[in-house]
Amino acid sequence: RPQPPSAMPITEDTSEWDATAWKNKGNEFFKQQEWNEAVACYSTAIEWEPRNKVHFSNRSTAYTKMEDYGKAKLDADMCIDLDPAWPKGWWRKGTAQLEAQEYKDAIKTFERGLEYHPTDTNLVEGKKKAVQFAAALDSVIGATYGNDNFDIDAPSTRNSAPSAPAPAPAPAP
C-alpha cells in the first residue's frame, strides 16, 4: 500500500486509506495553502490510481501555487494524455504557462483545448488573458527597441547582413 512521506503531518491511521481518502486529505491541505503536503497526498493518490486525471490535475494546481511551473505543466500533460477531451487538463497547462510568462505557448494550449470544447469558459478566458499578456509584452519590448510592430516570436534580424549605405548625392555641376 502506498504511504506518504514520513514527514507528513498526519496524525490519523492511514492504513485503510485509498486514493479518494488521499485526494481528500490533499484537498484539505490545499485549502490551508500547505502546498507541499497537498502534493504529497496527491502523489500518494496517484500511486493508488495512476490513470486518474483528477489526481494529476490537483497536483498540477498545487505545483502552480508553489511556482514550480515545470512540474505543473508535466502533470497537466498527464491529464491531457489520459483524456485529451477533458478541458481541465488544457486549462491547467495553459494556466501554468501563463504564470511562467510563456504567453504564446499558453495561447496555443488554450486553442488546442478549445478544439475539444469551444465554449469552455475557463479556456476562452484563459486564451483572452494570454493574448492580452502576449500583446502587452510585445508592445513593451517593441517600444524599448523602437519597433512598434515587435513580435517576440518573429525570426531575429540581428545577424542579417547590413544593407549598403545610400550613395552620396552627386556634386552639383
Side-chain angles (χ1 to χ4, degrees):
R1 292 187 165 236
Q3 294 295 315
S6 58
M8 176 79 59
I10 295 178
T11 56
E12 303 105 294
D13 175 14
T14 62
S15 62
E16 299 299 317
W17 285 18
D18 62 3
T20 301
W22 285 110
K23 178 193 78 162
N24 291 340
K25 190 63 173 180
N27 290 346
E28 288 178 31
F29 282 123
F30 189 90
K31 287 176 189 169
Q32 297 166 9
Q33 299 182 8
E34 296 179 32
W35 315 125
N36 287 318
E37 291 80 2
V39 163
C41 289
Y42 297 143
S43 296
T44 303
I46 289 168
E47 288 180 40
W48 278 90
E49 294 178 340
R51 299 200 50 79
N52 187 322
K53 63 191 176 207
V54 173
H55 304 321
F56 285 100
S57 174
N58 290 347
R59 192 170 70 175
S60 176
T61 301
Y63 280 135
T64 298
K65 293 290 188 178
M66 295 168 68
E67 299 180 6
D68 191 338
Y69 306 121
K71 288 181 181 176
K73 290 184 286 184
L74 287 173
D75 277 354
D77 281 334
M78 283 300 300
C79 294
I80 293 165
D81 288 346
L82 290 168
D83 186 356
W86 192 48
K88 195 173 265 190
W90 297 103
W91 183 58
R92 295 283 188 231
K93 183 173 182 177
T95 299
Q97 290 168 320
L98 274 175
E99 293 297 322
Q101 300 179 1
E102 299 167 358
Y103 305 128
K104 303 241 173 143
D105 289 338
I107 293 168
K108 292 174 192 170
T109 296
F110 290 125
E111 286 175 343
R112 289 288 316 277
L114 287 165
E115 290 173 16
Y116 293 98
H117 292 277
T119 59
D120 183 87
T121 304
N122 289 327
L123 296 174
V124 169
E125 292 303 314
K127 181 182 173 187
K128 282 182 189 174
K129 193 173 186 180
V131 166
Q132 289 171 344
F133 286 156
L137 179 63
D138 285 349
S139 174
V140 167
I141 293 173
T144 302
Y145 294 100
N147 180 352
D148 292 336
N149 297 316
F150 183 81
D151 180 353
I152 199 165
D153 292 327
S156 173
T157 57
R158 193 175 36 193
N159 294 326
S160 300
S163 57

